[in-house]
Amino acid sequence: QVQLVESGGGSVQAGGSLRLSCRASGFRYSDYCMGWFRQTPGKEREGVATISTGGSSTYYADSVKGRFTISRDNAMNTLYLQMNSLKPEDTAMYYCAATVWCAATAGLRPADFDYWGLGTQVTVSS
């Protein structure tokens, strides 16, 4: 069955860094575009970054541009999110997701993604 398992979350002070990982199984990972999303209580899930099947195209939310980097390792079926210069407003549950509809990834819309992980919590203190 399809599984996406996130890891790497934790608590960090503002200005610090974290690297999230998402291990995929149960589907042909290299055929899917991937994305990172985040959500805080009472708010809608929002797109953070997406990446094409081969990794050559990436899209970022304006709020994270220049601070976060999405990447993937198709040999290891793993997605990454390097987060630098973290801010308290980055505090959220972070989810990875997969979609075959790669034409939609520029929009960073959760509704365009088919498979989801359970999330990993990131907390940034000031």
Side-chain angles (χ1 to χ4, degrees):
Q1 71 278 20
V2 171
Q3 276 198 313
L4 294 171
V5 181
E6 301 94 338
S7 62
S11 296
V12 64
Q13 288 195 327
S17 298
L18 284 174
R19 189 194 196 202
L20 305 184
S21 299
C22 172
R23 184 69 189 266
S25 62
F27 64 102
R28 194 178 176 93
Y29 177 74
S30 58
D31 285 348
Y32 283 71
C33 288
M34 300 295 296
W36 287 99
F37 297 80
R38 65 187 182 187
Q39 189 171 21
T40 54
K43 292 190 176 181
E44 291 187 356
R45 193 168 296 187
E46 65 173 357
V48 175
T50 60
I51 188 168
S52 60
T53 54
S56 59
S57 296
T58 56
Y59 301 95
Y60 295 92
D62 288 343
S63 59
V64 307
K65 279 180 184 176
R67 300 187 298 121
F68 291 10
T69 302
I70 188 171
S71 62
R72 65 189 295 164
D73 184 337
N74 285 350
M76 296 295 291
N77 285 5
T78 303
L79 178 73
Y80 302 100
L81 185 69
Q82 178 66 44
M83 305 186 295
N84 298 329
S85 302
L86 282 160
K87 304 175 181 180
E89 51 263 44
D90 295 318
T91 295
M93 185 72 79
Y94 282 73
Y95 300 88
C96 72
T99 182
V100 290
W101 193 17
C102 290
T105 53
L108 297 168
R109 290 182 297 267
D112 295 329
F113 284 73
D114 304 305
Y115 302 136
W116 291 85
L118 296 180
T120 186
Q121 177 68 37
V122 171
T123 302
V124 184
S125 58
S126 56

